[in-house]
RNA sequence: GGACCGGUAGCUCAGUUGGAUAGAGCAACUGCCUUCUAAGCAGUAGGUCAAUGGUUCGAAUCCAUUCCGGUUCACCA
């Protein structure tokens, strides 16, 4: 039981005895004590004054006295300031905690709880390499998985690869037209980047072909259009030429987008891409062969990147194998009368009663849409694993989609419905605003990783501390620091919030960074190497006597790891862990550096007494363990030296 | 227009089951390397917690209204 829990239940018992009131221990409000006051934890007594019929100070005083008398092992003293009862935990309590846990490798690890969770994350498209946005997704998915595992869940990490569709055909077509048979091997370009280059090529041709069509249409020449598209374009152009629209910038932008979208559809290259998609769907052997080849290049590239990132999956799903699923569900829904058909044979669900819109599930021609696929995939996943919860790590622009997805599954009474949880995270923006591929501001993941590692290498060399290290060891260290920096930077922010990625700040190794935490760890390891403690002797040691403020502060923080781990799982937020690890490292650094009259207060090597040395060895060993554990949850390694 | 999310120091972020004088990092300024790693430590300065009203012994936190920003409401994925 944690200290906080112990204090709460002791307080609940005290309240029962003193005021004859029954309060559940968990409802007692307790905070960490502000540093300027004596004590470690503070009970808020305001809520008790209702039934104590005493002033807050008086209530706190009685409660404090009772706790001290009846729980001397836990509460050694107290002080009261207004309605705040500051509890001074018995130092023996801390000493015992330290003795029991300082060498415990499984600290914080919860026993299996029998619950199974799938975490779907990464889920890339195969027409482009990974970028900064994917990195936040990947790190989040991985870290949340690790956090859930540490909390006793069985976790299945899943990746649903979007390997088919019009976007892949675009890359394929452009490759066919312009590559002259180039391959990753022949060009030396990483496969995912090569395929991405041809996607970009397609888009530039598309733009070239779109411009004249738009120009003609705006001059009322509609020869590029037919049927419904022609009618629509005529309407759009008429509106476009209205003076009041010309004056309204926002409406004009929107209109321009619509006109462009419609014009793009008419281009020759787009028509070719569509034909290719139809051929793919019909199973045309040549198209399928090219598709398989190019996706193969991409997977090789992705796997390289995943490996560098230290990210893995237990189960791969491919959209080419799942995109036809969901139609069965639609049929069943129709039979049950939950879905309905319109005149054109398209299938819909009416969600207006839930405050949402009508949602299309099958087109008039019987082909499925994104939502239909996701319905089918949700069922497939559940058939595969029967998990209690199914997390989707997907950006918050799809909040509406997942709300609808869950609602539809619930209406269809699918057993997987209630376990669905959209782990929605905010977009990563640059100081200049959103990343836009059209403006070429997308930050490539591989480039970014290279840059981070290069910066780590440069700064390490500058310090000159590790010149005696082998080159291999140095390389590993640069990776640890560079990648750690990237991961920490993206994970330290609450996932729900959008965040700004400032490249300059991200490569920094000072302040609230992984390097800071790693450095604290390396410092501890350095001491442990030098003092070389006899663990057996330490195991048997339980410190008697007083603790300094920072000795105590470190033990108190370490003891909170359990709660922090639970909190991180409850909130599905690795940032809780990142903040904690930083705070722990910061406290250690203060502990390490504090001097009085020019002499270190907490020297381990030259401790005042052998007892103090043992105590401090226990403290720093515990701290190193906790730091390593915390960082591991974030997918970050810690170095022996740096 | 409807729905959802956000607005905390110059910048990036912590802080919400309502609690003490709102905290870090970066940037700026001042100190600290004969003694376990200065990628560090100690300190100074920087705030009408978007605004107004309400609930409360107590509000950055809860409620209402307003302002500002974002996302979404596709027979795209």
């Amino acid at each position: 039981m944690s200290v906080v829990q112990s204090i709460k239940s002791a307080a609940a018992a005290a309240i029962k005895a003193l005021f004859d009131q029954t309060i559940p221990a968990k409802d007692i409000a307790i905070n960490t004590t502000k540093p300027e006051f004596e004590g470690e934890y503070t009970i808020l007594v305001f809520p008790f004054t209702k039934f104590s019929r005493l002033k807050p100070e008086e209530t706190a005083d009685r409660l404090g006295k009772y706790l001290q008398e009846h729980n001397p092992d836990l509460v050694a003293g107290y002080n009261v300031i207004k309605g705040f009862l500051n509890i001074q935990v018995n130092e023996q309590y801390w000493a015992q905690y330290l003795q029991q846990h300082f060498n415990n490798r499984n600290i914080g690890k919860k026993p299996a709880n029998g619950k199974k969770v799938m975490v779907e994350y990464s889920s890339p498209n195969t027409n482009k390499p990974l970028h900064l946005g994917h990195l936040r997704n990947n790190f989040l998915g991985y870290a949340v998985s690790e956090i859930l595992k540490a909390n006793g869940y069985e976790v299945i990490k899943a990746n649903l690869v979007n390997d088919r569709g019009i976007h892949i055909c675009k890359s394929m077509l452009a490759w066919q037209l312009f590559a002259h048979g180039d391959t990753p091997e022949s060009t030396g370009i990483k496969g995912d980047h090569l395929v991405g280059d041809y996607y970009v090529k397609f888009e530039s041709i598309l733009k070239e072909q779109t411009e004249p069509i738009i120009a003609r249409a705006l001059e009322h020449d509609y020869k590029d259009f037919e049927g419904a598209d022609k009618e629509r374009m005529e309407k759009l152009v008429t509106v476009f030429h209205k003076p009041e629209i010309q004056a309204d910038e926002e409406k004009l932008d929107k209109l321009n987008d619509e006109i462009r979208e419609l014009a793009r559809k008419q281009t020759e290259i787009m028509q070719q891409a569509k034909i290719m998609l139809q051929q793919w769907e019909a199973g045309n052997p040549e198209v399928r062969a090219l598709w398989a080849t190019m996706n193969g290049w991409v997977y090789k590239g992705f796997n390289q990147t995943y490996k560098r990132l230290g990210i893995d999956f237990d189960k791969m799903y491919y959209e080419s194998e799942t995109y036809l699923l969901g139609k069965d569900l639609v049929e069943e829904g129709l039979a049950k009368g939950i879905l309905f058909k319109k005149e054109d044979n398209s299938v819909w669900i009416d969600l207006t009663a839930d405050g949402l819109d009508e949602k299309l599930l099958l087109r008039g021609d019987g082909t499925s849409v994104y939502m239909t696929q996701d319905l089918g995939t949700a069922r497939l996943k559940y058939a595969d694993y029967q998990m209690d919860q199914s997390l989707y790590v997907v950006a918050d622009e799809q909040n509406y989609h997942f709300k609808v997805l869950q609602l539809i599954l619930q209406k269809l009474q699918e057993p997987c419905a209630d376990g669905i949880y959209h782990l929605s995270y905010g977009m990563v923006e640059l100081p200049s605003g959103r990343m836009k591929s059209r403006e070429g501001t997308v930050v490539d993941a591989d480039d970014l990783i290279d840059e981070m590692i290069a910066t780590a290498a440069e700064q390490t060399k500058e310090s000159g501390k590790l010149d005696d290290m082998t080159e291999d060891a140095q390389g590993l260290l640069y990776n640890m620091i560079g990648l750690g920096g990237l991961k920490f930077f993206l994970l330290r922010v609450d996932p729900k919030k959008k965040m700004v990625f400032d490249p300059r700040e991200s490569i920094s190794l000072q302040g609230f960074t992984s390097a800071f935490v790693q450095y604290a760890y390396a410092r501890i390891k350095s001491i442990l190497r030098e003092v070389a403690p006899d663990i057996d002797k330490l195991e048997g040691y339980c410190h008697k006597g007083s603790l300094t403020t920072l000795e105590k502060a470190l033990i108190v923080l370490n003891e909170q790891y359990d709660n922090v781990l639970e909190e991180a799982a409850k909130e599905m937020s690795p940032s809780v862990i990142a903040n904690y690890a930083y705070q722990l490292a910061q406290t250690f650094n203060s502990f390490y550096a504090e001097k009085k009259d020019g002499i270190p207060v907490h020297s381990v090597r030259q401790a005042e007494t052998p007892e103090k040395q043992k105590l401090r060895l226990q403290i720093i060993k515990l701290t190193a363990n906790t730091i390593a554990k915390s960082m591991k949850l974030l997918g970050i390694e810690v170095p022996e030296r740096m």
Side-chain angles (χ1 to χ4, degrees):
Chain A
M1 187 152 56
S2 72
V3 186
V4 170
Q5 284 168 321
S6 302
I7 295 174
K8 281 184 181 181
S9 49
I15 288 162
K16 176 77 183 148
L18 288 171
F19 309 120
D20 195 29
Q21 280 285 325
T22 307
I23 296 183
K26 66 174 172 53
D27 289 350
I28 292 173
I30 182 163
N31 291 342
T32 52
T33 304
K34 294 229 158 203
E36 54 267 39
F37 304 112
E38 277 283 313
E40 290 83 52
Y41 289 98
T42 298
I43 299 173
L44 305 177
V45 301
F46 295 101
F48 313 148
T49 55
K50 277 190 212 102
F51 48 77
S52 75
R53 297 171 189 282
L54 297 166
K55 280 189 280 192
E57 291 86 340
E58 184 74 10
T59 309
D61 194 54
R62 293 228 189 152
L63 187 55
K65 198 166 284 171
Y66 186 95
L67 287 172
Q68 191 177 2
E69 275 170 20
H70 292 81
N71 306 277
D73 293 345
L74 182 63
V75 180
Y78 71 95
N79 61 83
V80 175
I81 293 160
K82 292 193 273 181
F84 299 93
L85 172 59
N86 300 323
I87 301 290
Q88 289 145 253
V89 175
N90 193 327
E91 293 191 329
Q92 270 310 293
Y93 186 98
W94 296 126
Q96 277 167 20
Y97 174 82
L98 189 58
Q99 185 195 359
Q100 283 162 19
H101 294 96
F102 82 95
N103 201 29
N104 177 4
R105 298 216 151 265
N106 291 319
I107 191 165
K109 173 103 180 146
K110 310 283 190 295
N113 64 11
K115 294 239 169 83
K116 214 191 269 186
V117 181
M118 175 179 281
V119 181
E120 183 205 299
Y121 70 106
S122 199
S123 302
N125 291 0
T126 60
N127 63 319
K128 274 187 206 172
L130 303 179
H131 60 70
L132 178 54
H134 292 114
L135 290 180
R136 189 177 198 192
N137 181 307
N138 282 302
F139 296 155
L140 248 182
Y142 181 87
V144 166
S145 299
E146 293 304 309
I147 289 166
L148 290 174
K149 277 191 208 168
N151 276 282
Y153 291 87
E154 181 188 343
V155 175
I156 304 121
K157 299 179 193 168
N159 188 355
L160 172 58
V161 182
N162 186 359
D163 62 343
R164 53 130 250 139
I166 189 73
H167 41 290
I168 284 85
C169 290
K170 288 178 180 178
S171 289
M172 286 159 62
L173 182 63
W175 184 88
Q176 249 182 1
L177 293 174
F178 304 104
H180 309 296
D182 278 355
T183 66
E185 291 74 28
S186 74
T187 56
I189 298 173
K190 194 161 165 277
D192 49 336
H193 287 263
L194 184 74
V195 172
D197 289 346
Y198 285 100
Y199 185 79
V200 172
K201 179 73 183 169
F202 178 95
E203 289 293 327
S204 78
I205 301 288
L206 177 60
K207 195 177 172 195
E208 254 172 52
Q209 294 185 0
T210 306
E211 296 305 330
I213 296 176
I214 294 177
R216 278 193 287 272
L218 291 182
E219 298 293 317
H220 304 285
D221 174 356
Y222 302 110
K223 73 170 180 192
D224 306 290
F225 299 87
E226 280 177 355
D229 284 348
K230 188 174 179 184
E231 270 174 48
R232 183 157 164 68
M233 186 50 101
E234 280 174 8
K235 261 189 208 154
L236 288 173
V237 171
T238 311
V239 177
F240 178 85
H241 286 297
K242 285 186 182 163
E244 67 265 28
I245 296 292
Q246 285 293 322
D248 186 333
E249 203 174 315
E250 204 173 304
K251 277 188 184 160
L252 194 61
D253 275 359
K254 220 174 160 184
L255 196 60
N256 270 321
D257 282 350
E258 281 182 61
I259 290 172
R260 189 181 306 113
E261 204 46 52
L262 201 51
R264 280 158 64 96
K265 274 173 70 180
Q266 320 303 324
T267 57
E268 190 194 343
I269 197 155
M270 198 62 177
Q271 299 290 344
Q272 284 175 285
K274 267 190 201 151
I275 291 169
M276 190 176 256
L277 180 60
Q278 282 160 9
Q279 289 171 330
W280 183 92
E281 284 181 2
N284 176 306
E286 272 171 51
V287 171
R288 286 285 179 140
L290 176 61
W291 171 76
T293 304
M294 288 181 72
N295 269 344
W297 298 343
V298 172
Y299 295 144
K300 209 170 161 193
F302 280 175
N303 286 338
Q304 241 174 297
T305 305
Y306 283 142
K307 199 171 172 196
R308 287 180 92 188
L309 294 175
I311 275 167
D312 56 9
F313 303 96
D314 303 307
K315 172 72 181 175
M316 302 294 288
Y317 287 102
Y318 296 92
E319 215 187 276
S320 56
E321 293 164 5
T322 63
Y323 82 107
L324 293 175
L325 299 174
K327 289 191 186 184
D328 293 349
L329 260 168
V330 171
E331 289 305 321
E332 292 166 29
L334 275 172
K336 284 184 197 162
I338 298 163
L339 311 179
F340 69 93
K341 248 183 199 177
K342 288 195 177 174
E343 319 78 68
D344 65 349
N345 248 353
S346 57
V347 180
W348 297 73
I349 185 163
D350 183 1
L351 300 173
T352 48
D354 299 277
L356 305 173
D357 306 306
E358 286 185 350
K359 189 83 195 169
L360 176 91
L361 294 179
L362 278 184
R363 297 188 183 102
D365 62 6
T367 56
S368 56
V369 292
Y370 178 45
M371 182 62 76
T372 327
Q373 296 172 33
D374 267 9
L375 292 171
T377 309
R379 181 184 254 190
L380 174 67
K381 285 173 168 179
Y382 192 78
D384 286 348
Y385 293 100
Q386 297 90 42
M387 59 280 193
D388 301 279
Q389 261 196 308
S390 184
L391 307 191
Y392 293 77
V393 182
V394 177
D396 61 8
E397 56 187 359
Q398 295 201 38
N399 285 354
Y400 181 76
H401 174 78
F402 282 98
K403 204 171 160 184
V404 172
L405 176 70
Q406 181 165 37
L407 192 57
I408 295 176
L409 287 167
Q410 278 166 344
K411 286 190 187 292
L412 294 172
Q413 296 174 325
E414 282 296 297
C416 65
D418 292 333
I420 282 180
Y421 180 83
H422 177 203
L423 179 47
S424 163
Y425 65 90
M427 300 288 221
V428 184
E429 294 178 3
L430 301 173
S432 54
R434 268 187 89 158
M435 291 192 287
K436 285 182 185 144
S437 51
R438 244 180 233 171
E439 290 164 25
T441 53
V442 176
V443 177
D444 180 76
D446 290 314
D447 291 350
L448 186 58
I449 298 165
D450 288 342
E451 199 184 325
M452 295 293 293
I453 293 172
T455 306
E458 195 181 299
Q459 301 209 18
T460 305
K461 281 175 191 150
E462 220 168 80
S463 79
K465 285 190 234 172
L466 304 166
D467 295 341
D468 61 324
M469 228 186 223
T470 67
E471 255 181 52
D472 283 357
Q474 284 185 14
L476 284 173
L477 180 65
Y478 303 155
N479 262 288
M480 229 181 252
I481 299 172
L483 264 175
L486 191 52
K487 290 182 182 181
F488 198 89
F489 192 86
L490 290 171
L491 287 174
R492 66 181 203 186
V493 180
D494 182 349
K496 289 192 289 294
K497 294 189 180 172
K498 71 175 182 198
M499 65 175 294
V500 174
F501 183 88
D502 185 342
R504 252 190 337 191
E505 201 187 327
S506 71
I507 57 172
S508 164
L509 304 178
Q510 265 96 42
F512 188 16
T513 64
S514 73
F516 182 99
V517 182
Q518 289 170 323
Y519 185 63
Y521 181 85
R523 276 177 146 181
I524 294 175
K525 295 310 275 221
S526 167
I527 299 172
L528 291 175
R529 273 193 301 276
E530 188 168 335
V531 182
D534 182 339
I535 295 292
D536 285 345
K537 271 192 191 156
L538 286 181
E539 298 261 17
Y541 182 70
C542 182
H543 188 69
K544 305 270 190 300
S546 66
L547 302 166
T548 69
T549 306
L550 281 167
E551 285 166 349
K552 200 186 288 181
L554 272 175
I555 304 172
V556 170
L557 260 181
N558 274 292
E559 197 271 342
Q560 289 169 0
Y561 177 74
D562 258 42
N563 283 337
V564 170
L565 183 58
E566 275 174 37
E567 172 80 5
K570 204 178 102 210
E571 300 292 323
M572 305 243 186
S573 176
S575 73
V576 172
I577 304 282
N579 278 286
Y580 171 77
Y582 174 68
Q583 200 191 345
L584 188 55
Q586 202 179 33
T587 306
F588 168 76
N589 279 334
S590 298
F591 166 91
Y592 180 89
E594 195 186 2
K595 281 185 188 175
K596 203 177 170 193
D597 305 323
I599 299 164
V601 176
H602 301 108
S603 177
V604 177
R605 192 180 57 198
Q606 297 177 341
E608 313 83 281
T609 63
E611 287 74 31
K612 273 285 183 184
Q613 184 175 62
K614 284 183 200 161
L615 169 76
R616 287 176 195 153
L617 283 169
Q618 287 180 333
I619 290 175
I620 64 172
K621 186 102 210 304
L622 176 62
T623 303
N625 276 351
T626 309
I627 286 177
K629 274 251 137 62
S630 304
M631 296 294 267
K632 185 92 184 147
L633 293 174
L634 305 178
I636 301 172
E637 303 289 330
V638 286
E640 298 298 305
R641 293 175 61 190
M642 74 182 274

